[in-house]
Structure formats: C-alpha cells, structure tokens
Amino acid sequence: MEGDCLSCIKYLMFIFNFFIFLGGAVLLAVGIWVLVDPMGFSEIVAANPLIFTGVYFILCLGGLLFLLGFLGCCGAIRENRCLLLFFFMLILIIFLAELAAAILGFIFRENLTRQYFTKELKHHYQGSNSTDVFTTTWNAIMTTFDCCGVNGGEDFEESLFRLLNPTKMVPEACCQRNHLLGDMMFMSREDCLKGSMLIRHKGCYSAVVEYFETYIYLAGALAIVVLTIELFAMVFAMCLFRGIQ
C-alpha cells in the first residue's frame, strides 16, 4: 500500500511540475513579447524604472520556473533525492520572492495612479524633443493608443511643455490623423496646436487601462494558479523525498 501511495505522489508531482514548466514558458513568452516591441512598448519599459524592473523580473521568474519544472519532472520520475531536495529549496525561494514582489507591488501602487502620471507629465514632458526618453515615450504612447495626455489635453496647462512651447496648447502627438491619407497626415495641424476640436480627447490613462484590462485579469488568475501549483509541488516533493529509501 505504501508503494502505491509513493507511486501516486510521484506521478502527481510530475503532473504539477509539468504545469510549472508550462507556466514558466508562458512568463518567458510574455516578457520576450514585451521586449521585442510589438507596439512601441520597449520605449515605455525603458522610461519607467518600475515597469523596467517588472519586465525583467517576469523574464527571470519565467526562466527559473521553466528550469524548476524540468528538474521536478526529472527528480520525480527518476526518484532522485538530491534533485528533489534541490527542487524543493529553489521553489521555496521563488515562492517567497513572488510573495515579496506582490507585497512591493501593493506598497508602490501609488506610482501607478492617475495623479502620479499627471504630475510626471507636467514636470518632464517637452513636446517634440526626440533626445529625451520620457518625451519620446509619451509621444509613442499617445500615437499608439490614439490619446492625449493622462486625462486629456488640459494636462498640458501650466506644464513644462507650455513653458517651452508658449504658442502651442497641445503637442503634435495629440493631433488627430487622417487615416485615409496615412497616419503621418494631420487633420489640421495648426488648428490642433491652437487647441481646437481636432485633438484626441481621450486620456491615455483610460486608454491604456482599457487595453490591458483583460490581460491584467488573466495575469492575476495565472499568478494565483502558479502559486497554488507551487505549494502542492513543494508538499509532494517533500513527501516523495521522505518516502524514497
């Protein structure tokens, strides 16, 4: 009976580690997808230290889970005590690191508020300066998501942009394009810069949140699943380690 129980634990551990392996592969794919720059995201990542750290954390975590899933599968099938103990210790470290990341994300959540981005935009955005990373990043965001400022064109009042460009109410990135003539053709550049109705009225905060809302829920659900699988994998690894003679 004891042998049957041990065999059951071995195969259950193999199954859980296979899912850890798949979870690591998914995290690696997401991190690489962002860095490959599908919609100008690499500039956004480079400009924000918090996002920059988060993307590379996802890459490292994905790589570790990928490796651990492989080690766990091998340790379970071959019933190798050294591999099982090594697997248990590493997955415990990763589990604690994930909890720490979640706590830090909660602590620094104020860095992702609408007010924070509005203040940063007012203090650092310059307009059409292609040498400033912050400015080029915001230009890429406004062009990619068809939006203007954080909340709208009013964000540029009493801002660094207005000090540097006193004759312009909004930057060119806020002007609507005529898509029939190509994305680089403005509906009316002069009227737009004077603050006419030809600007993009949607704020970028709402546009980006709407775009990523589905992905955020999927990422949260995936994180819960991965944490649950890791807990079960640690329990099975220790049971199998103690059961192997």
PDB file of all heavy atoms in Angstrom, residues 86-98:
ATOM      1  N   PHE A  86      16.954  19.719  -4.031  1.00  0.00           N
ATOM      2  CA  PHE A  86      17.359  20.935  -4.745  1.00  0.00           C
ATOM      3  C   PHE A  86      16.125  21.649  -5.299  1.00  0.00           C
ATOM      4  O   PHE A  86      15.995  22.874  -5.208  1.00  0.00           O
ATOM      5  CB  PHE A  86      18.316  20.559  -5.872  1.00  0.00           C
ATOM      6  CG  PHE A  86      18.838  21.731  -6.639  1.00  0.00           C
ATOM      7  CD1 PHE A  86      19.592  22.721  -6.023  1.00  0.00           C
ATOM      8  CD2 PHE A  86      18.594  21.847  -8.002  1.00  0.00           C
ATOM      9  CE1 PHE A  86      20.079  23.801  -6.723  1.00  0.00           C
ATOM     10  CE2 PHE A  86      19.073  22.936  -8.714  1.00  0.00           C
ATOM     11  CZ  PHE A  86      19.820  23.909  -8.079  1.00  0.00           C
ATOM     12  N   PHE A  87      15.204  20.861  -5.842  1.00  0.00           N
ATOM     13  CA  PHE A  87      13.971  21.422  -6.378  1.00  0.00           C
ATOM     14  C   PHE A  87      13.156  22.101  -5.279  1.00  0.00           C
ATOM     15  O   PHE A  87      12.650  23.217  -5.454  1.00  0.00           O
ATOM     16  CB  PHE A  87      13.152  20.301  -7.032  1.00  0.00           C
ATOM     17  CG  PHE A  87      11.732  20.664  -7.323  1.00  0.00           C
ATOM     18  CD1 PHE A  87      11.398  21.372  -8.465  1.00  0.00           C
ATOM     19  CD2 PHE A  87      10.716  20.299  -6.445  1.00  0.00           C
ATOM     20  CE1 PHE A  87      10.088  21.717  -8.730  1.00  0.00           C
ATOM     21  CE2 PHE A  87       9.398  20.644  -6.707  1.00  0.00           C
ATOM     22  CZ  PHE A  87       9.095  21.345  -7.854  1.00  0.00           C
ATOM     23  N   PHE A  88      13.015  21.428  -4.143  1.00  0.00           N
ATOM     24  CA  PHE A  88      12.227  21.984  -3.036  1.00  0.00           C
ATOM     25  C   PHE A  88      12.800  23.316  -2.560  1.00  0.00           C
ATOM     26  O   PHE A  88      12.049  24.284  -2.347  1.00  0.00           O
ATOM     27  CB  PHE A  88      12.174  20.985  -1.874  1.00  0.00           C
ATOM     28  CG  PHE A  88      11.462  21.515  -0.668  1.00  0.00           C
ATOM     29  CD1 PHE A  88      10.087  21.447  -0.576  1.00  0.00           C
ATOM     30  CD2 PHE A  88      12.180  22.092   0.380  1.00  0.00           C
ATOM     31  CE1 PHE A  88       9.418  21.949   0.532  1.00  0.00           C
ATOM     32  CE2 PHE A  88      11.521  22.594   1.493  1.00  0.00           C
ATOM     33  CZ  PHE A  88      10.132  22.522   1.564  1.00  0.00           C
ATOM     34  N   MET A  89      14.119  23.391  -2.378  1.00  0.00           N
ATOM     35  CA  MET A  89      14.741  24.614  -1.875  1.00  0.00           C
ATOM     36  C   MET A  89      14.578  25.771  -2.868  1.00  0.00           C
ATOM     37  O   MET A  89      14.259  26.899  -2.485  1.00  0.00           O
ATOM     38  CB  MET A  89      16.238  24.365  -1.601  1.00  0.00           C
ATOM     39  CG  MET A  89      16.511  23.372  -0.495  1.00  0.00           C
ATOM     40  SD  MET A  89      15.749  23.852   1.096  1.00  0.00           S
ATOM     41  CE  MET A  89      16.638  25.374   1.426  1.00  0.00           C
ATOM     42  N   LEU A  90      14.782  25.493  -4.156  1.00  0.00           N
ATOM     43  CA  LEU A  90      14.668  26.553  -5.156  1.00  0.00           C
ATOM     44  C   LEU A  90      13.234  27.050  -5.302  1.00  0.00           C
ATOM     45  O   LEU A  90      12.994  28.260  -5.404  1.00  0.00           O
ATOM     46  CB  LEU A  90      15.181  26.057  -6.513  1.00  0.00           C
ATOM     47  CG  LEU A  90      16.697  26.042  -6.701  1.00  0.00           C
ATOM     48  CD1 LEU A  90      17.053  25.561  -8.099  1.00  0.00           C
ATOM     49  CD2 LEU A  90      17.297  27.422  -6.467  1.00  0.00           C
ATOM     50  N   ILE A  91      12.284  26.126  -5.311  1.00  0.00           N
ATOM     51  CA  ILE A  91      10.896  26.556  -5.482  1.00  0.00           C
ATOM     52  C   ILE A  91      10.399  27.297  -4.241  1.00  0.00           C
ATOM     53  O   ILE A  91       9.543  28.187  -4.336  1.00  0.00           O
ATOM     54  CB  ILE A  91       9.977  25.363  -5.834  1.00  0.00           C
ATOM     55  CG1 ILE A  91       8.750  25.882  -6.588  1.00  0.00           C
ATOM     56  CG2 ILE A  91       9.551  24.592  -4.609  1.00  0.00           C
ATOM     57  CD1 ILE A  91       7.940  24.800  -7.249  1.00  0.00           C
ATOM     58  N   LEU A  92      10.945  26.968  -3.066  1.00  0.00           N
ATOM     59  CA  LEU A  92      10.610  27.719  -1.854  1.00  0.00           C
ATOM     60  C   LEU A  92      11.119  29.151  -1.968  1.00  0.00           C
ATOM     61  O   LEU A  92      10.413  30.110  -1.611  1.00  0.00           O
ATOM     62  CB  LEU A  92      11.216  27.026  -0.633  1.00  0.00           C
ATOM     63  CG  LEU A  92      11.001  27.739   0.710  1.00  0.00           C
ATOM     64  CD1 LEU A  92       9.508  27.841   1.033  1.00  0.00           C
ATOM     65  CD2 LEU A  92      11.740  27.008   1.826  1.00  0.00           C
ATOM     66  N   ILE A  93      12.353  29.326  -2.477  1.00  0.00           N
ATOM     67  CA  ILE A  93      12.916  30.672  -2.672  1.00  0.00           C
ATOM     68  C   ILE A  93      12.075  31.473  -3.662  1.00  0.00           C
ATOM     69  O   ILE A  93      11.772  32.649  -3.444  1.00  0.00           O
ATOM     70  CB  ILE A  93      14.378  30.572  -3.153  1.00  0.00           C
ATOM     71  CG1 ILE A  93      15.259  29.995  -2.039  1.00  0.00           C
ATOM     72  CG2 ILE A  93      14.901  31.938  -3.590  1.00  0.00           C
ATOM     73  CD1 ILE A  93      16.669  29.661  -2.479  1.00  0.00           C
ATOM     74  N   ILE A  94      11.673  30.827  -4.764  1.00  0.00           N
ATOM     75  CA  ILE A  94      10.858  31.507  -5.771  1.00  0.00           C
ATOM     76  C   ILE A  94       9.494  31.890  -5.199  1.00  0.00           C
ATOM     77  O   ILE A  94       8.985  32.995  -5.437  1.00  0.00           O
ATOM     78  CB  ILE A  94      10.686  30.615  -7.017  1.00  0.00           C
ATOM     79  CG1 ILE A  94      12.010  30.495  -7.759  1.00  0.00           C
ATOM     80  CG2 ILE A  94       9.617  31.169  -7.953  1.00  0.00           C
ATOM     81  CD1 ILE A  94      11.962  29.571  -8.948  1.00  0.00           C
ATOM     82  N   PHE A  95       8.908  30.990  -4.424  1.00  0.00           N
ATOM     83  CA  PHE A  95       7.602  31.258  -3.812  1.00  0.00           C
ATOM     84  C   PHE A  95       7.687  32.485  -2.898  1.00  0.00           C
ATOM     85  O   PHE A  95       6.816  33.374  -2.947  1.00  0.00           O
ATOM     86  CB  PHE A  95       7.145  30.030  -3.028  1.00  0.00           C
ATOM     87  CG  PHE A  95       5.792  30.177  -2.395  1.00  0.00           C
ATOM     88  CD1 PHE A  95       4.649  29.977  -3.148  1.00  0.00           C
ATOM     89  CD2 PHE A  95       5.671  30.507  -1.057  1.00  0.00           C
ATOM     90  CE1 PHE A  95       3.389  30.115  -2.569  1.00  0.00           C
ATOM     91  CE2 PHE A  95       4.429  30.650  -0.469  1.00  0.00           C
ATOM     92  CZ  PHE A  95       3.279  30.448  -1.232  1.00  0.00           C
ATOM     93  N   LEU A  96       8.747  32.557  -2.081  1.00  0.00           N
ATOM     94  CA  LEU A  96       8.929  33.705  -1.189  1.00  0.00           C
ATOM     95  C   LEU A  96       9.196  34.981  -1.984  1.00  0.00           C
ATOM     96  O   LEU A  96       8.726  36.064  -1.617  1.00  0.00           O
ATOM     97  CB  LEU A  96      10.080  33.432  -0.221  1.00  0.00           C
ATOM     98  CG  LEU A  96       9.843  32.301   0.789  1.00  0.00           C
ATOM     99  CD1 LEU A  96      11.100  32.069   1.620  1.00  0.00           C
ATOM    100  CD2 LEU A  96       8.648  32.612   1.689  1.00  0.00           C
ATOM    101  N   ALA A  97       9.943  34.862  -3.101  1.00  0.00           N
ATOM    102  CA  ALA A  97      10.215  36.028  -3.947  1.00  0.00           C
ATOM    103  C   ALA A  97       8.930  36.550  -4.588  1.00  0.00           C
ATOM    104  O   ALA A  97       8.733  37.774  -4.707  1.00  0.00           O
ATOM    105  CB  ALA A  97      11.234  35.668  -5.028  1.00  0.00           C
ATOM    106  N   GLU A  98       8.049  35.642  -4.991  1.00  0.00           N
ATOM    107  CA  GLU A  98       6.772  36.054  -5.581  1.00  0.00           C
ATOM    108  C   GLU A  98       5.904  36.775  -4.554  1.00  0.00           C
ATOM    109  O   GLU A  98       5.261  37.782  -4.866  1.00  0.00           O
ATOM    110  CB  GLU A  98       6.044  34.833  -6.134  1.00  0.00           C
ATOM    111  CG  GLU A  98       6.681  34.254  -7.378  1.00  0.00           C
ATOM    112  CD  GLU A  98       6.080  32.918  -7.771  1.00  0.00           C
ATOM    113  OE1 GLU A  98       5.396  32.288  -6.922  1.00  0.00           O
ATOM    114  OE2 GLU A  98       6.298  32.510  -8.919  1.00  0.00           O
TER     115      GLU A  98
END
